[in-house]
């Protein structure tokens, strides 16, 4: 009994106006809230990961699942903060307003900046209007090119060809011009342009270009049945410009994907140049004569 009285007296001692008993209870409850929030978030993550795959196949859109999981996780943290605030004397009203459904929205609007809110709304537009999704190969404003790796509440993550992760705020990417090479049909037309001199036999140059392009393994036949019936060439080549020193020939060469089209173009520029050297077809370039006058 004496020991119990001593412990009780010690717990009733005050530090900075607070009893040790209240501090101990506060720390225990706060720790339990923290553990509960962490366990609940881990369980939510497990459920979403499990729901994404069923018998080895993906059954839900990865983009939507990831975005919705972030919203639920954020809501759990907000509830955890509200529960923690309820432990502090005088903060009960704040806690109650957060826990109320209308209070949660009001708190989000009050605490979040206008830019943060616009990013969240922008993320919702991306998720449900689907201009692109995770895994798509896109180009943003003719500047950023890469594969979409993640869409979060604040930004979209794009992995470029240099393996760098580019983070673009959702409100900015929503107002940008997006070229989505993975949207709809993925076949891509590559323009192969080469300049030849004015003394060149254009028919021969076109035949040489077409011959080299037809050899490439990534080339596909994109003609319609009507075009095939009308004997339209698989690779169309036309004169597109009469420049100061060269006639520009353009070939329309099709590949199955954007990546294949780029690789094919690089290969063909080299192959055509080397073939032109063999066929004595000149690819002109500007040069200048410098005349030095001696006094």
């Amino acid at each position: 009994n004496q020991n119990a009285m001593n412990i009780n007296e010690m717990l009733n001692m005050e530090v900075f106006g607070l009893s040790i008993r209240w501090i101990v209870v506060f720390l225990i409850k706060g720790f339990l809230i923290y553990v509960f929030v962490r366990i609940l978030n881990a369980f939510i993550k497990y459920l979403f990961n499990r729901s994404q795959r069923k018998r080895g196949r993906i059954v839900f859109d990865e983009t939507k699942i990831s975005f919705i999981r972030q919203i639920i996780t954020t809501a759990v943290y907000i509830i955890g903060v509200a529960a923690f605030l309820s432990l502090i004397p005088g903060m009960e009203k704040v806690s109650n307003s957060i826990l109320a459904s209308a209070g949660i929205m009001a708190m989000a609007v009050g605490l979040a900046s206008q830019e943060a809110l616009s990013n969240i709304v922008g993320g919702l537009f991306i998720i449900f209007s689907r201009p692109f999704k995770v895994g798509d190969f896109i180009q943003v404003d003719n500047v950023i090119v890469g594969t979409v790796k993640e869409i979060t509440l604040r930004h979209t993550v794009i992995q470029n060809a240099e393996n760098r992760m580019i983070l673009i705020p959702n409100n900015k990417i929503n107002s940008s011009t997006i070229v989505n090479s993975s949207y709809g049909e993925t076949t891509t037309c590559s323009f192969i342009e080469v300049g030849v001199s004015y003394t060149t036999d254009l028919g021969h140059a076109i035949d040489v270009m077409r011959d080299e392009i037809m050899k490439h393994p990534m080339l596909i036949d994109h003609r319609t049945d009507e075009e095939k019936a009308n004997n339209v060439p698989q690779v169309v080549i036309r004169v597109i410009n009469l420049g100061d020193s060269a006639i520009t020939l353009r070939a329309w060469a099709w590949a199955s994907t954007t990546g294949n089209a780029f690789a094919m173009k690089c290969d063909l520029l080299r192959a055509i140049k080397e073939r032109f050297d063999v066929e004595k077809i000149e690819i002109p370039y500007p040069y200048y004569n410098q005349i030095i006058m001696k006094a």
Side-chain angles (χ1 to χ4, degrees):
N1 292 335
Q2 184 65 31
N3 292 334
M5 291 179 61
N6 291 336
I7 294 175
N8 190 48
E9 290 176 359
M10 182 180 66
L11 292 175
N12 289 330
M13 293 176 59
E14 293 188 355
V15 178
F16 299 111
L18 300 173
S19 68
I20 294 179
R21 184 191 303 276
W22 185 90
I23 294 175
V24 171
V25 172
F26 175 81
L27 292 176
I28 293 174
K29 289 182 177 180
F31 177 75
L32 291 176
I33 291 172
Y34 171 79
V35 171
F36 176 76
V37 168
R38 293 299 299 270
I39 293 175
L40 183 58
N41 275 328
F43 181 67
I44 292 171
K45 182 178 180 181
Y46 166 77
L47 289 180
F48 274 95
N49 289 339
R50 185 178 180 182
S51 67
Q52 279 186 276
R53 297 186 177 275
K54 185 178 181 180
R55 295 180 181 178
R57 61 186 181 90
I58 298 177
V59 295
F60 293 106
D61 185 359
E62 180 184 353
T63 306
K64 289 182 179 179
I65 288 293
S66 176
F67 195 83
I68 295 173
R69 187 181 69 187
Q70 291 180 61
I71 294 178
I72 295 177
T73 300
T74 302
V76 170
Y77 278 119
I78 291 175
I79 294 173
V81 171
F84 181 79
L85 290 176
S86 66
L87 302 177
I88 303 175
M91 298 293 289
E92 293 86 355
K93 292 183 178 181
V94 176
S95 174
N96 292 335
S97 65
I98 294 177
L99 289 175
S101 57
I104 292 177
M105 294 301 298
M107 182 65 67
V109 173
L111 295 179
S113 65
Q114 183 178 357
E115 183 177 358
L117 283 175
S118 64
N119 285 330
I120 294 174
V121 173
L124 291 173
F125 281 146
I126 293 172
I127 293 301
F128 293 103
S129 65
R130 294 174 64 85
F132 55 85
K133 61 182 184 299
V134 172
D136 283 0
F137 186 82
I138 67 173
Q139 176 177 291
V140 182
D141 284 339
N142 294 322
V143 177
I144 299 172
V145 179
T147 303
V148 179
K149 303 302 291 184
E150 187 180 8
I151 302 173
T152 71
L153 291 174
R154 287 194 64 256
H155 53 256
T156 298
V157 182
I158 298 177
Q159 183 182 28
N160 66 9
E162 298 176 338
N163 200 33
R164 297 293 184 268
M165 298 299 176
I166 302 172
L167 280 64
I168 306 177
N170 289 331
N171 63 334
K172 291 185 178 180
I173 202 168
N174 266 309
S175 60
S176 301
T177 301
I178 306 295
V179 178
N180 190 344
S181 299
S182 304
Y183 192 91
E185 188 178 1
T186 59
T187 55
T188 305
C189 182
S190 182
F191 294 158
I192 314 297
E193 296 184 4
V194 180
V196 297
S197 68
Y198 276 86
T199 59
T200 299
D201 181 346
L202 294 181
H204 179 54
I206 289 174
D207 289 341
V208 170
M209 283 185 63
R210 183 176 289 117
D211 182 55
E212 288 300 318
I213 295 172
M214 292 294 293
K215 294 177 183 177
H216 201 281
M218 293 182 183
L219 180 72
I220 64 171
D221 192 347
H222 195 262
R223 294 175 297 174
T224 63
D225 293 337
E226 182 181 356
E227 289 173 335
K228 292 178 181 178
N230 294 330
N231 294 321
V232 176
Q234 182 176 341
V235 178
V236 176
I237 303 176
R238 292 189 172 96
V239 175
I240 63 166
N241 186 42
L242 300 176
D244 294 336
S245 59
I247 300 173
T248 304
L249 302 177
R250 174 186 288 178
W252 281 257
W254 288 83
S256 59
T257 65
T258 303
N260 286 354
F262 177 77
M264 181 177 66
K265 180 177 181 178
C266 296
D267 294 343
L268 289 175
L269 288 175
R270 175 177 177 176
I272 292 171
K273 193 273 178 189
E274 292 175 348
R275 179 71 181 277
F276 275 13
D277 290 344
V278 174
E279 300 288 338
K280 306 300 181 183
I281 298 175
E282 180 185 0
I283 300 178
Y285 56 89
Y287 61 90
Y288 302 93
N289 290 329
Q290 185 176 9
I291 301 175
I292 302 176
M293 304 294 293
K294 293 185 178 180

